[in-house]
Amino acid sequence: DTAVSQTPKYLVTQMGNDKSIKCEQNLGHDTMYWYKQDSKKFLKIMFSYNNKELIINETVPNRFSPKSPDKAHLNLHINSLELGDSAVYFCASTPTGALNTQYFGPGTRLTVL
Amino acid sequence: SQQGEEDPQALSIQEGENATMNCSYKTSINNLQWYRQNSGRGLVHLILIRSNEREKHSGRLRVTLDTSKKSSSLLITASRAADTASYFCATDVRGSNYKLTFGKGTLLTVNP
């Protein structure tokens, strides 16, 4: 009965590879997000989708591409991974009318070697 | 640059003491929220205060907001070892379209 789930929890890969992280929420929320948390714990928003439409697209390299097949899922695909992509990636969701209160997933720790 | 800045960066106290963390921000907001992050986990929403509110309570948490100084504080009373975590403020900036901007966080350690 996990509210916001992410897979995988850990991802170790070589530079240059392509990888995906999946996120699902069973809360019925309309808006979903991807955040990147660096080694200093700074949390930065990357993307947001509302009902499958992209509404926030921060300054992120175009190697990162989000995909929302339906409003319960938001996946993140990363091409040509670089060392600097190593971080913890969090998915979050929020319902309409909740004053943007966000529910976070457990995070995916990505390590690029 | 990020909207919210927490102060102090780290705080170490004894169980039973109160912990106060501060957050400053730069632009007009709809609301300000505080989140907790335990080590290796996702963030958990603690409390939200709207821009027209000055103080809010939830259990052992007390949040104040001073929009004239663009600052907020989070007070945790009678702290417990289980309160050990990082605490982040997040601002819902006016006109930002569902976007929350997070500060760098305060690492609170409560010693038993």
Side-chain angles (χ1 to χ4, degrees):
Chain A
D1 60 349
T2 306
V4 181
S5 60
Q6 295 178 227
T7 54
K9 188 165 173 61
Y10 299 97
L11 186 51
V12 181
T13 188
Q14 299 287 332
M15 259 191 339
N17 284 351
D18 303 339
K19 290 293 179 187
S20 291
I21 307 172
K22 295 188 176 181
C23 177
E24 175 181 3
Q25 53 94 4
N26 62 3
L27 299 167
H29 292 173
D30 300 311
T31 306
M32 295 183 72
Y33 304 80
W34 277 111
Y35 288 89
K36 178 181 179 181
Q37 187 173 46
D38 64 23
S39 58
K40 296 184 179 177
K41 294 214 161 182
F42 178 48
L43 196 69
K44 185 170 166 47
I45 190 168
M46 300 173 71
F47 301 103
S48 177
Y49 273 74
N50 179 264
N51 280 318
K52 299 197 297 175
E53 279 196 43
L54 182 67
I55 57 170
I56 295 174
N57 186 352
E58 292 292 289
T59 308
V60 176
N62 57 14
R63 299 182 294 104
F64 290 79
S65 52
K67 283 190 172 51
S68 183
D70 54 61
K71 78 172 196 177
H73 295 86
L74 179 62
N75 303 323
L76 183 66
H77 188 75
I78 315 170
N79 288 327
S80 303
L81 279 155
E82 300 177 356
L83 294 176
D85 298 332
S86 294
V88 182
Y89 292 84
F90 287 99
C91 176
S93 69
T94 187
T96 301
L99 302 179
N100 213 1
T101 297
Q102 299 193 7
Y103 296 73
F104 281 78
T108 295
R109 181 174 292 277
L110 171 65
T111 303
V112 182
L113 303 175
Chain B
S1 58
Q2 69 260 25
Q3 166 79 327
E5 296 269 354
E6 286 92 343
D7 166 54
Q9 288 189 338
L11 180 60
S12 182
I13 59 174
Q14 295 300 120
E15 232 174 359
E17 293 180 341
N18 296 342
T20 299
M21 288 158 268
N22 303 298
C23 169
S24 60
Y25 59 92
K26 296 176 182 173
T27 58
S28 295
I29 60 172
N30 295 317
N31 64 68
L32 185 144
Q33 305 177 29
W34 285 89
Y35 288 78
R36 184 188 74 231
Q37 184 180 30
N38 289 88
S39 181
R41 311 289 287 270
L43 280 75
V44 174
H45 179 260
L46 294 176
I47 195 166
L48 178 151
I49 187 164
R50 298 179 194 232
S51 61
N52 61 355
E53 296 175 312
R54 291 299 165 255
E55 188 171 313
K56 203 156 181 186
H57 296 255
S58 176
R60 294 183 296 112
L61 305 180
R62 172 177 166 249
V63 170
T64 61
L65 179 65
D66 187 335
T67 52
S68 66
K69 294 181 180 177
K70 292 187 170 55
S71 67
S72 173
S73 67
L74 171 68
L75 169 67
I76 304 173
T77 59
S79 63
R80 305 167 182 167
D83 294 329
T84 294
S86 291
Y87 291 82
F88 295 86
C89 70
T91 48
D92 183 350
V93 175
R94 286 211 181 124
S96 66
N97 195 21
Y98 295 102
K99 178 179 166 183
L100 279 186
T101 303
F102 286 81
K104 291 183 178 176
T106 293
L107 175 59
L108 173 67
T109 303
V110 181
N111 301 299

